[in-house]
Amino acid sequence: MAAAGGAGGGGEQPAAGGNRRLKYISLAVLVVQNASLILSIRYVRTLPGERFFATTAVVMAELLKGATCLLLIFLQKQGSVRQFALFLYDAVVVQYVDTLKLAVPSLIYTLQNNLQYVAISNLPAATFQVTYQLKILTTAVFSVLMLRKSLSRLQWVSLLLLFAGVAIVQVEQGQAGGGSSPGAAQQSYAVGLVAVVVSCLSSGFAGVYFEKILKGSSASVWLRNVQLGIFGTLLGLLGMCWAEGAAVAAQGFFHGYSPLVWGVILNQAFGGLLVAVVVKYADNILKGFATSLSIVASTVASMYLFGFRLHPPFALGAGLVIGAVYMYSLPKAGPPLGPRQEPTALLPLGKEPSEPGYPPKLACKEKGS
């Protein structure tokens, strides 16, 4: 028995070391993905010359993500076209009520994706990154109102600090005129601010609504993204026709596309998939730390790429937001104040679940990691 115990202990050490390395890799991926998407969108939207149509980029991202998920489902069916077709027919057509439930969150997510382009086009990347953390506050509020979830005192304090930090940043940026980068195209700080606030509200509501309507579902994350992609693509095309239909018809769907623009679209489409794969190795504290690091990375990169000027009030506000994000991710001390049931359904990749501000897990059993 002693020998067996010794053997088991020797096997656990390498496993622990491997998990530690996976956590560090997860941290790096989360930081890079969170910061690079915002910085790359900001960069391509402030380049001189003809701009690409943001609405077409949203549609392309939905198509690429949906196609990837269809391919993964096809591989899960061992390459059988018949099983693949029957599975999709049953899940999408036969169970149409379940599919239609996703129309509302899909509409909100499509709106949110378009608003992010508007916001980042009009706000400095660092300012957007800090302000966008309000999604933690909106998701928490909707979770309490719609799902009757409870928050610890530390989490409530962190939300107050979060709001205070964002408010300080907005006051400082408003006085500085928005901190537009030199040579950038005409921008409206007010438009960007409204867009990011509405995006935060839609993000919070959509994540909580998605959890509420899909509790008890056993569908895979790939299928959910296919169902979301059906509505997301259709709604994205309708939004494109309404907002930029005449311009797209005159100049073409891919007008203004460059390798950099394709890089942004691929980041948006596959970034969420990549995060969902690696995030199972990261706990809430690590995810909060990754979000904080991405704010720092975005701020530093903005100073070099866009001539962003870091003033003391902005540093104070950003510091409060970083601290609040980390505090919110800390585990509750003592027994919970109320029931907090995790969703049994899986959230769409790259979207925010009701654990505010963080990417989803791959499977329900991994929620506790």
Side-chain angles (χ1 to χ4, degrees):
M1 295 297 293
E12 289 174 358
Q13 290 181 356
N19 288 336
R20 189 177 299 109
R21 284 193 296 271
L22 287 173
K23 283 193 173 185
Y24 287 133
I25 293 173
S26 301
L27 173 63
V29 170
L30 289 172
V31 172
V32 170
Q33 202 279 331
N34 286 340
S36 64
L37 179 60
I38 295 170
L39 290 169
S40 59
I41 292 178
R42 176 67 180 177
Y43 184 74
V44 297
R45 295 296 283 177
T46 55
L47 285 175
E50 295 291 334
R51 279 189 176 186
F52 66 96
F53 300 113
T55 52
T56 65
V58 171
V59 172
M60 284 305 304
E62 288 291 338
L63 286 173
L64 288 174
K65 188 186 297 183
T68 302
C69 292
L70 283 173
L71 176 61
L72 292 171
I73 294 175
F74 181 72
L75 294 176
Q76 287 180 343
K77 300 303 177 183
Q78 300 178 342
S80 171
V81 176
R82 183 174 182 274
Q83 291 185 20
F84 174 71
L86 289 175
F87 173 78
L88 288 181
Y89 177 77
D90 178 71
V92 177
V93 179
V94 176
Q95 302 181 42
Y96 66 93
V97 175
D98 193 47
T99 302
L100 289 175
K101 289 180 180 179
L102 297 172
V104 172
S106 182
L107 171 62
I108 298 174
Y109 287 137
T110 303
L111 172 66
Q112 177 188 341
N113 290 335
N114 282 281
L115 286 175
Q116 284 184 3
Y117 275 98
V118 174
I120 299 174
S121 300
N122 289 278
L123 295 176
T127 304
F128 173 84
Q129 181 77 305
V130 171
T131 309
Y132 193 56
Q133 301 313 310
L134 280 176
K135 65 186 179 182
I136 300 176
L137 174 62
T138 59
T139 307
V141 171
F142 283 121
S143 295
V144 172
L145 294 178
M146 297 173 61
L147 300 179
R148 306 299 181 188
K149 292 188 176 181
S150 63
L151 302 177
S152 67
R153 292 179 181 178
L154 181 63
Q155 287 178 316
W156 282 116
V157 171
S158 69
L159 292 176
L160 291 176
L161 289 178
L162 174 68
F163 184 81
V166 171
I168 292 173
V169 167
Q170 293 307 320
V171 170
E172 188 273 337
Q173 288 290 286
Q175 292 176 348
S180 299
S181 55
Q186 184 65 33
Q187 301 171 25
S188 171
Y189 188 80
V191 170
L193 181 58
V194 171
V196 72
V197 170
V198 176
S199 182
C200 289
L201 287 170
S202 63
S203 171
F205 177 78
V208 175
Y209 179 87
F210 195 86
E211 176 182 349
K212 185 178 179 64
I213 65 173
L214 293 183
K215 277 188 174 181
S217 173
S218 59
S220 72
V221 67
W222 314 123
L223 175 61
R224 287 307 181 205
N225 275 271
V226 170
Q227 292 171 317
L228 281 170
I230 293 173
F231 292 108
T233 302
L234 293 176
L235 293 169
L237 288 171
L238 288 175
M240 179 195 72
C241 294
W242 177 75
E244 300 173 317
V248 171
Q251 298 176 306
F253 187 91
F254 297 106
H255 173 75
Y257 275 48
S258 67
L260 287 175
V261 174
W262 279 110
V264 169
I265 294 173
L266 291 174
N267 192 348
Q268 191 173 39
F270 300 129
L273 300 176
L274 179 62
V275 168
V277 170
V278 302
V279 81
K280 64 179 180 178
Y281 301 110
D283 53 24
N284 281 343
I285 297 178
L286 193 65
K287 289 183 286 185
F289 189 53
T291 302
S292 301
L293 282 180
S294 67
I295 294 175
V296 175
S298 297
T299 302
V300 173
S302 295
M303 295 169 64
Y304 287 97
L305 293 175
F306 310 118
F308 180 78
R309 295 182 179 180
L310 181 63
H311 299 292
F314 183 94
L316 173 62
L320 288 175
V321 171
I322 290 172
V325 170
Y326 184 74
M327 287 172 58
Y328 193 90
S329 65
L330 293 175
K332 293 182 179 181
L337 299 178
R340 183 183 178 89
Q341 297 180 350
E342 293 296 338
T344 54
L346 292 166
L347 296 180
L349 292 172
K351 306 300 181 184
E352 293 79 357
S354 62
E355 185 64 35
Y358 301 127
K361 303 283 187 178
L362 274 182
C364 306
K365 64 180 179 181
E366 294 156 357
K367 278 290 182 182
S369 64

